[in-house]
Amino acid sequence: MDKILEGLVSSDHSVPVKRAIVKKVVEAAEREVTEDQCQALFTLTTRLILLGEDAFQKQIGFQVLEAYARYHRPEFERFFSKDFVLSLLQQGYGQLDRKDPAIIEYIHCCLRLLISCPSVLEIFGVIQVEVLRMVCERPEPAFCARLSTLLSDFVQCIPRDKSSVLFCQQLVRTISSFHCFASQEQELREYVGQVTKVSALLQSIWKADPATLLPSLQEVFAIISSTDPSFDPSIALASLVQHIPVQMITVLIKSLTTDQNVRDASMTKALCRMIDWLSWPLAQHVDTWVIALLKGLAAVQKFTILIDVTLLKIELVFSRLWYPIVRQGALAVLSHMLLSFQHSPEAFHLVRGSLDLPKPAEEKIKLVLNQSAWTSQSNSFSSGLLRQAGKSETGKTGLVNLGNTCYMNSIIQTLFMATDFRRHVLSLHLNSSNTLMKKLQLLFAFLAHTQRAAYAPRNFLEASRPPWFNVGSQQDCSEYLRFLLDRLHEEEKTLQALDSAKPKAASPTDASCKDPAGPTPAEVNGQTYDRRTLIEKLFGGKLITSIRCMQCNCISEKEEPFTDLSLAFCPSTTFQDSPQTQGPLEEPRVLCQGSVNGGSEVPEPGSASALASNAHFVPVTNEPPLSVPDLVNYFLAPEILDEDNAYFCEKCSSLQRAEKTIKVVSAPEYLILTLLRFSYDAKCHIRRKILDNVTIPPLIRLPVHDPPIPTRCSSSTSSPLQVDSPESSENLAKKLKSSQHDEEEEKARIDGAEEISRAVQSVPYVLSSVVMHSGISSESGHYYSYGCNINGADAVQQTANQFSIKEDLGNGQAEGSLCTCSAPSVSQEQGGTLHNSGQEAKDWLLFNDSRVTFTSFQSVQNITNRFPKDTAYVLMYRKQELPGQSVNGGLMASGMRLSAEPPLQKELLDAVIKDNKLYLQEQELSARTQALQAPSSSCSFRPNGSDDNNPPGSCGPSGGGGGGGGGFNTISRLVF
């Protein structure tokens, strides 16, 4: 029979004839055949299967072998013995190498025929040993794929116990040696299919024996973290990722990132090679693991690795976007890399030339950036000791208290939240690096773009601190604000003068601010330019102080610039000796304040000021609380100059009784209001604080008069910008309303006098910021501030839009109301909506030195009710441009409104990038130090508190809670 079969194979018969003969040979297997004939037949079929010249011969061999093995099982069992299998696996067959896939395919076929025989158990034992030896020899993918198919069908051949772990590790290392050099699609498909079969075998082993999974993964990491330059593992390892349970991410990443034995170079290599896995076409979850490892490294502050990996691999990741089969995973990794690499634009510049993506909304950009920054990564992968304080959820940067510097911090945050001012400062092109404006510009750049949770403004403190301020002592924030604005104004004036003195053609823009023309132009070469400083343009307004002699009705007027209005508290009607008839400008009932900003003015005995000096802390409970418009109206109310304070009239050439009035004739873009809460107690020789609650409306209307018409008796003067006008503040606490008799007398005198008619505009302002003072005296306490948040569009404008700003004359109000400051009426429904929506939209922020938290406008209004020692001190309102209305030339016409944040200039950007890198290095060093000290250290974690839980604390004499950030006098709130 064997001779017939051998002759058949080598004959020239046609294929149909050969198939017919083979069929007869297979049918003959049912008849009795001698053992020698069977052995010869098995040998022949084995040779045909393993050494056949074509597929037809191999097919004949399999058909005949299967037929005779089924009917002559004992003979086949003696032929296919463990020794024969061992020789095949160790020596091959004839000229066929032992690593040829045909060997494994033949053994696989024979095992299926022998499965019910007892001798198969011995063969399984031989195969268990040999397959472990074979994978250690790193066979080719085709051989491994055949072997995987065999082991998947006959799991008894898989090594057991300890050998099973070793087998998995060696199989992983074998996969790492798979390299494909094919260029044809069919060959590539075969290669991917072969790798898939091997990874599927590992998956089945991991499922059957979970103890083999972790050692296998450790072997994977050992391979990809190798720094041997001669070894380059195959990306075929990516095929294993999809078989790792996603639930193990947290445990595995934590183990990797906190292992002190893993060197940075090894981790960098491992992460780079994992990113290479994104090129593997069929791998799933590769992006999930890569991003998890990136976040894990950020959580333990290993920023050096992240920087190196991002710069090395971001271009490769971007190039993967061109291939649809791997695009989704590559895009996820690319997005995370770009969004988290916020300390420098270098990564973005590497791929920007090819980017053409739609621009998302600004709110979404800020939210995603804040969530993706390395310093804000979740620390779930790290131990408690490695938890570092990063930026709060607000995305805003706090300011470190450098020792009782809360007065500066609150003012800086207030100016920073003045959107137009911040944007103009950042857009300035300044040459000198030693100017105060340049230092403010750099500080604003850090507040806007640093990754630090809180920035320490040491350089700006040294440059901006008034000379009379003692280092480390408590100071007045209002005094600091005036000094700062005056310094910036005078500095710019000096630079303008130096620039104009240069022998060159005038620049078409301002030397420093480069803003369009304004209402105070200058002629240069026939062209008009605005020579006002940035402080004048945004904070500068003008007052007219008029004094009318009641004897001759001659009026003397003086024009004065201002950057803030100092609002005194008038004497309460409770302390008046006799009742007064209230006029149309009804005065608020509040307690009297003495001098301004720590002066030494002493109230006269018997005066209302003296009567009120002992009642600073006794609020009037039977009347509604004061409001900001009440104080503004009191500031603008007429004052009678009489007796010791009589006016010397030049026309009368004698002291005469006179009426003094103050009117605003030019409204600033930003209206700064300072509530003069600190009065001097002459008896105790201390400055007391007026703790009266003052209602803060979100919107106010300021009466602004047209410039005066010169008369023969009037005098008009102009002085340089002054941040503290003596005429408008020195006698504020002495203002007393005239009695009813005086009013009647004055009316009689005015009947025959010539009246000057001036148009009045009611200019709307919306609240931008509030600086609070916490404490009971000026010598101690703490400053903190509230600011309206900016989310995409101008949130200050959004706040204004939430109220209906009604025209006074159109709602039945008296025309005379234009001459008073008022707060537009807001319905209860609108007010409730604002409080609720404002809190949900997080339109307000609380700046407390290093801490920045979300709050609501309702918290701003209720702070004094909740914490009586905390009172509003400095308020900043922003002028609003109503549709169809133009005030003082119009905001848009003056060019002071910028619609977007300006890009950082190169030198500012470089400084921020340098500091961000330094910060990352500091965080990394701190994390490593803590990790080394972890066994002997302990820590506690408290979750964030709500803004409404605890009042702000006091700087105290020790300097701001130890100089670390303002401090709370209650339970500390940690911001992560």
Side-chain angles (χ1 to χ4, degrees):
M1 189 65 64
D2 56 337
K3 292 182 180 180
I4 296 175
L5 184 59
E6 186 175 358
L8 174 65
V9 171
S10 59
S11 66
D12 294 331
H13 294 299
S14 63
V15 173
V17 174
K18 289 182 178 181
R19 291 190 181 278
I21 297 174
V22 170
K23 183 178 180 182
K24 295 293 185 180
V25 173
V26 170
E27 291 175 351
E30 300 178 7
R31 298 191 294 269
E32 279 196 28
V33 181
T34 64
E35 181 177 350
D36 293 339
Q37 290 177 328
C38 283
Q39 292 295 330
L41 194 61
F42 289 144
T43 301
L44 176 61
T45 55
T46 298
R47 185 162 56 87
L48 291 176
I49 294 172
L50 296 178
L51 303 178
E53 297 178 357
D54 53 37
F56 181 71
Q57 292 183 353
K58 294 178 181 293
Q59 183 182 11
I60 292 176
F62 276 120
Q63 290 180 354
V64 176
L65 177 66
E66 183 177 356
Y68 278 84
R70 182 179 299 112
Y71 292 105
H72 305 279
R73 184 65 57 84
E75 289 79 3
F76 181 70
E77 187 176 2
R78 284 191 290 272
F79 170 77
F80 193 73
S81 63
K82 67 173 184 177
D83 294 332
F84 179 61
V85 172
L86 185 61
S87 65
L88 289 176
L89 295 176
Q90 290 185 351
Q91 301 174 11
Y93 188 84
Q95 69 268 26
L96 191 66
D97 188 79
R98 56 190 174 87
K99 293 183 180 180
D100 195 295
I103 297 288
I104 302 299
E105 184 179 12
Y106 173 77
I107 294 175
H108 190 184
C109 176
C110 293
L111 286 177
R112 285 201 300 266
L113 299 175
L114 203 63
I115 189 62
S116 60
C117 298
S119 61
V120 76
L121 298 177
E122 295 180 347
I123 297 177
F124 287 161
V126 171
I127 296 178
Q128 286 181 2
V129 175
E130 289 302 314
V131 294
L132 179 57
R133 180 189 57 79
M134 286 187 291
V135 296
C136 291
E137 296 176 353
R138 312 289 177 255
E140 294 297 323
F143 181 86
C144 287
R146 292 287 188 184
L147 184 61
S148 298
T149 303
L150 167 64
L151 298 180
S152 298
D153 288 348
F154 296 97
V155 295
Q156 303 91 334
C157 298
I158 299 175
R160 302 295 179 187
D161 303 326
K162 294 182 179 180
S163 297
S164 179
V165 173
L166 182 58
F167 175 74
C168 291
Q169 292 176 323
Q170 291 300 321
L171 192 58
V172 166
R173 193 159 288 275
T174 298
I175 295 176
S176 70
S177 66
F178 289 172
H179 292 284
C180 179
F181 303 101
S183 58
Q184 300 298 321
E185 181 179 353
Q186 181 60 32
E187 295 175 333
L188 293 173
R189 289 181 180 274
E190 290 179 357
Y191 172 75
V192 173
Q194 292 163 356
V195 174
T196 302
K197 289 181 179 180
V198 180
S199 63
L201 171 64
L202 271 173
Q203 180 193 21
S204 63
I205 298 175
W206 292 342
K207 285 185 176 181
D209 187 4
T212 61
L213 176 58
L214 187 56
S216 300
L217 299 182
Q218 290 172 340
E219 187 68 20
V220 172
F221 183 77
I223 293 170
I224 62 177
S225 63
S226 172
T227 56
D228 184 358
S230 63
F231 175 66
D232 185 21
S234 169
I235 64 170
L237 287 171
S239 62
L240 301 178
V241 176
Q242 59 192 330
H243 303 310
I244 305 173
V246 180
Q247 297 82 355
M248 295 185 65
I249 286 182
T250 301
V251 176
L252 293 176
I253 297 300
K254 179 179 179 180
S255 175
L256 287 176
T257 55
T258 59
D259 189 350
Q260 299 299 319
N261 296 321
V262 179
R263 295 180 295 114
D264 286 0
S266 298
M267 182 62 75
T268 302
K269 277 290 186 182
L271 187 51
C272 287
R273 284 162 175 163
M274 287 182 66
I275 292 174
D276 291 340
W277 292 352
L278 292 170
S279 303
W280 186 255
L282 300 182
Q284 300 177 8
H285 309 306
V286 171
D287 57 317
T288 304
W289 282 91
V290 170
I291 293 175
L293 185 53
L294 291 172
K295 289 182 176 180
L297 291 170
V300 295
Q301 321 297 318
K302 294 186 178 180
F303 302 121
T304 303
I305 299 175
L306 294 172
I307 292 172
D308 293 342
V309 170
T310 302
L311 296 180
L312 284 171
K313 290 297 181 180
I314 195 165
E315 290 181 279
L316 180 141
V317 175
F318 181 80
S319 68
R320 300 301 93 183
L321 298 180
W322 297 109
Y323 304 98
I325 195 170
V326 296
R327 179 178 298 156
Q328 184 175 0
L331 181 60
V333 175
L334 178 69
S335 300
H336 181 83
M337 281 182 161
L338 288 176
L339 292 172
S340 60
F341 202 86
Q342 295 181 25
H343 71 283
S344 166
E346 188 175 359
F348 178 79
H349 289 166
L350 291 174
V351 298
R352 67 175 178 175
S354 305
L355 285 176
D356 186 16
L357 303 175
K359 180 182 178 181
E362 185 176 352
E363 298 91 339
K364 186 175 182 180
I365 291 176
K366 291 184 177 180
L367 177 63
V368 174
L369 283 174
N370 186 41
Q371 292 175 342
S372 302
W374 289 336
T375 50
S376 64
Q377 293 297 325
S378 170
N379 290 316
S380 58
F381 300 123
S382 61
S383 62
L385 276 176
L386 294 178
R387 297 183 185 274
Q388 300 277 341
K391 268 192 178 182
S392 68
E393 61 178 347
T394 65
K396 300 293 184 181
T397 303
L399 289 169
V400 176
N401 193 308
L402 302 174
N404 272 332
T405 58
C406 58
Y407 69 89
M408 178 188 69
N409 292 349
S410 59
I411 292 301
I412 290 176
Q413 295 288 19
T414 297
L415 293 176
F416 182 80
M417 295 302 288
T419 311
D420 295 322
F421 179 66
R422 178 183 72 247
R423 291 173 177 174
H424 275 281
V425 169
L426 290 175
S427 63
L428 296 178
H429 294 276
L430 305 171
N431 296 324
S432 176
S433 60
N434 294 323
T435 62
L436 184 60
M437 182 63 80
K438 185 68 176 182
K439 295 182 185 300
L440 180 63
Q441 185 183 57
L442 184 62
L443 178 56
F444 278 1
F446 276 113
L447 287 178
H449 299 282
T450 184
Q451 288 192 356
R452 297 179 184 272
Y455 180 75
R458 291 183 178 86
N459 292 336
F460 189 78
L461 172 63
E462 295 299 325
S464 65
R465 181 169 49 211
W468 59 90
F469 276 20
N470 294 326
V471 177
S473 62
Q474 185 84 331
Q475 304 296 341
D476 188 291
C477 74
S478 176
E479 186 178 3
Y480 174 78
L481 174 60
R482 290 193 187 100
F483 176 80
L484 176 61
L485 295 182
D486 185 50
R487 276 279 309 278
L488 293 172
H489 164 74
E490 294 298 334
E491 182 181 86
E492 187 173 347
K493 278 292 187 183
T494 302
L495 292 176
Q496 287 180 358
L498 293 175
D499 187 68
S500 61
K502 295 179 180 179
K504 63 178 182 179
S507 172
T509 55
D510 185 271
S512 58
C513 294
K514 303 193 176 191
D515 286 320
T520 58
E523 288 285 338
V524 179
N525 295 339
Q527 298 184 9
T528 302
Y529 303 101
D530 187 0
R531 302 299 295 175
R532 294 179 302 162
T533 66
L534 180 61
I535 302 302
E536 288 179 299
K537 293 173 183 176
L538 288 175
F539 299 103
K542 291 182 180 180
L543 295 172
I544 290 290
T545 303
S546 302
I547 301 179
R548 182 177 62 84
C549 176
M550 291 185 176
Q551 180 65 32
C552 64
N553 288 326
C554 183
I555 299 176
S556 174
E557 293 185 333
K558 180 181 180 181
E559 182 180 279
E560 297 175 296
F562 71 91
T563 53
D564 73 305
L565 299 180
S566 300
L567 306 181
F569 287 74
C570 70
S572 172
T573 55
T574 305
F575 301 102
Q576 300 290 336
D577 295 331
S578 61
Q580 301 176 0
T581 303
Q582 302 277 339
L585 294 179
E586 192 157 331
E587 298 297 338
R589 350 84 5 256
V590 263
L591 305 178
C592 178
Q593 176 173 0
S595 62
V596 179
N597 294 330
S600 58
E601 182 178 343
V602 181
E604 297 179 5
S607 68
S609 298
L611 291 174
S613 63
N614 295 324
H616 291 286
F617 306 103
V618 183
V620 180
T621 58
N622 59 344
E623 296 182 8
L626 282 171
S627 67
V628 171
D630 291 336
L631 299 182
V632 176
N633 288 332
Y634 180 52
F635 175 82
L636 300 175
E639 177 187 359
I640 300 301
L641 306 179
D642 199 2
E643 298 179 355
D644 292 343
N645 199 30
Y647 168 69
F648 181 83
C649 177
E650 294 181 356
K651 184 176 182 181
C652 299
S653 299
S654 61
L655 293 174
Q656 297 292 337
R657 199 165 185 261
E659 181 187 56
K660 177 181 176 181
T661 58
I662 297 176
K663 295 179 181 179
V664 179
V665 294
S666 178
E669 302 293 336
Y670 284 96
L671 177 64
I672 301 176
L673 304 176
T674 302
L675 309 187
L676 300 177
R677 291 187 172 275
F678 302 113
S679 62
Y680 182 72
D681 189 329
K683 294 180 180 180
C684 301
H685 300 287
I686 61 173
R687 294 177 68 195
R688 296 187 181 275
K689 179 181 178 181
I690 299 175
L691 294 175
D692 289 20
N693 188 15
V694 177
T695 301
I696 305 174
L699 293 164
I700 63 172
R701 286 183 174 274
L702 181 70
V704 179
H705 298 251
D706 283 350
I709 301 175
T711 63
R712 59 185 179 88
C713 295
S714 67
S715 63
S716 179
T717 60
S718 178
S719 60
L721 180 69
Q722 297 177 6
V723 293
D724 190 10
S725 172
E727 290 292 330
S728 62
S729 62
E730 180 179 350
N731 297 318
L732 283 179
K734 293 183 178 180
K735 282 188 174 181
L736 298 176
K737 297 196 311 181
S738 60
S739 64
Q740 183 177 3
H741 172 75
D742 292 336
E743 291 178 356
E744 293 174 355
E745 179 181 353
E746 294 311 313
K747 289 180 180 178
R749 290 178 181 273
I750 295 175
D751 284 341
E754 180 182 359
E755 296 184 358
I756 299 177
S757 176
R758 298 175 184 173
V760 182
Q761 294 181 354
S762 184
V763 180
Y765 282 89
V766 62
L767 186 64
S768 172
S769 300
V770 180
V771 178
M772 297 285 182
H773 178 266
S774 177
I776 60 174
S777 74
S778 61
E779 282 72 31
S780 65
H782 178 60
Y783 291 105
Y784 60 97
S785 63
Y786 290 96
C788 191
N789 195 13
I790 301 298
N791 286 325
D794 196 331
V796 177
Q797 183 65 51
Q798 292 175 357
T799 303
N801 293 339
Q802 291 178 350
F803 297 90
S804 58
I805 306 178
K806 301 179 181 178
E807 295 296 333
D808 294 336
L809 296 178
N811 290 279
Q813 299 185 18
E815 186 172 354
S817 64
L818 288 175
C819 298
T820 64
C821 180
S822 61
S825 59
V826 182
S827 65
Q828 184 176 1
E829 180 180 356
Q830 285 175 316
T833 302
L834 174 76
H835 293 162
N836 295 332
S837 64
Q839 192 166 7
E840 293 175 3
K842 301 177 179 178
D843 288 338
W844 283 83
L845 298 170
L846 169 60
F847 297 92
N848 195 319
D849 285 338
S850 297
R851 303 176 182 88
V852 184
T853 55
F854 283 119
T855 185
S856 65
F857 181 68
Q858 188 175 14
S859 297
V860 180
Q861 288 185 316
N862 296 336
I863 188 68
T864 304
N865 292 330
R866 294 172 51 238
F867 309 110
K869 296 179 183 179
D870 293 28
T871 55
Y873 186 39
V874 178
L875 299 90
M876 183 179 290
Y877 282 86
R878 180 186 186 188
K879 184 161 62 176
Q880 291 300 297
E881 186 86 4
L882 296 180
Q885 182 181 9
S886 178
V887 181
N888 294 339
L891 294 176
M892 295 304 178
S894 66
M896 297 312 297
R897 290 283 170 92
L898 297 180
S899 60
E901 297 292 332
L904 281 188
Q905 300 166 33
K906 184 179 185 303
E907 56 181 335
L908 298 177
L909 182 61
D910 291 343
V912 173
I913 291 174
K914 181 179 179 181
D915 185 72
N916 281 339
K917 288 183 177 180
L918 177 62
Y919 170 64
L920 295 178
Q921 293 171 359
E922 293 171 356
Q923 293 290 90
E924 184 171 356
L925 179 60
S926 175
R928 293 176 185 271
T929 302
Q930 292 185 46
L932 293 175
Q933 297 173 349
S936 58
S937 303
S938 61
C939 69
S940 61
F941 170 72
R942 296 174 184 170
N944 289 346
S946 168
D947 172 51
D948 294 331
N949 288 343
N950 302 300
S954 167
C955 279
S958 62
F968 284 78
N969 55 5
T970 55
I971 300 176
S972 297
R973 293 185 291 180
L974 305 178
V975 181
F976 286 87

